[in-house]
Amino acid sequence: MTIAINMLEDNSCNKQIGALLDNEDNQIKIIETKDLDIHHCIGCNQCWLKTPGQCVIKDDYKSIIKQLVTAEDLWLVSDIRYGFLNYRGKRIMDRIMPMLNMNIEFRDGWMRHQLRYHALNIGVLYRGDGNQELLEEWCERCAKNLGGKSLGVISLDKIEKEVVSCM
C-alpha cells in the first residue's frame, strides 16, 4: 500500500497527487493533515522504552502510525518553508521513531536503528521554493534509516507548469 500524507495548506490537489502516484499494482491512501491535531515529538524515547512501537503522545498521529506499519511507500506532500518541509512534515517524520527499535546495527556501512516492522520507502511531493538537492539528500537518508529506498522528490509546481505548457 502507498500512503500519501498531504500536509499542504490548500488540499485541492488530491486528484493530482492520486494521478502522480497511480500504480495498477498498489492501493493509494491519501491522509489529510490540515485538520488533524499532531503534536511535535518531545524526545522522551518512551516509544522505545515504555510503550515499544507506540508513541505516548495522545493525538491524531496514532491513526497515521498504525497505517504506516502496513505501508510499503510513504509520500510526504508538503508546502515548503525556508527551503524545506513545513512544520507538519517535520512533525510527521520526527514522530516516525516508533517504527524503529532502539537497538543499533550496521546497514549499508552506517550505524542505524533496527527496524521494528519492515522497510519503508519514502518520497516527497512539494509545492513552493524548495532546495531540490537538500530535499533529495534528506529523502535518501530518511529512506535508508527506515530500511527502504528513496522514491524521489518532485516539485508539484514544475509539473503544473509542464501540463499547462503542453496544452
Side-chain angles (χ1 to χ4, degrees), residues 37-55:
D37 179 31
I38 300 173
H39 297 272
H40 65 276
C41 178
I42 58 174
C44 67
N45 292 331
Q46 296 303 311
C47 61
W48 288 344
L49 302 171
K50 188 174 180 180
T51 58
Q54 297 178 17
C55 183

Side-chain angles (χ1 to χ4, degrees), residues 86-148:
N86 65 16
Y87 75 95
R88 287 184 184 109
K90 174 86 168 84
R91 287 181 179 183
I92 294 290
M93 289 309 291
D94 286 350
R95 298 272 305 275
I96 208 162
M97 294 308 290
M99 298 280 293
L100 302 171
N101 191 317
M102 68 183 277
N103 297 325
I104 305 278
E105 67 184 4
F106 279 96
R107 253 186 294 128
D108 304 324
W110 288 71
M111 189 180 281
R112 302 190 187 280
H113 288 279
Q114 291 177 347
L115 302 177
R116 183 176 303 279
Y117 303 108
H118 59 82
L120 186 63
N121 304 315
I122 298 177
V124 176
L125 299 172
Y126 70 93
R127 181 170 278 155
D129 190 22
N131 182 328
Q132 184 77 23
E133 187 177 319
L134 173 71
L135 288 167
E136 287 173 357
E137 182 179 342
W138 177 82
C139 186
E140 182 75 33
R141 287 175 179 251
C142 287
K144 283 185 178 183
N145 282 336
L146 292 165

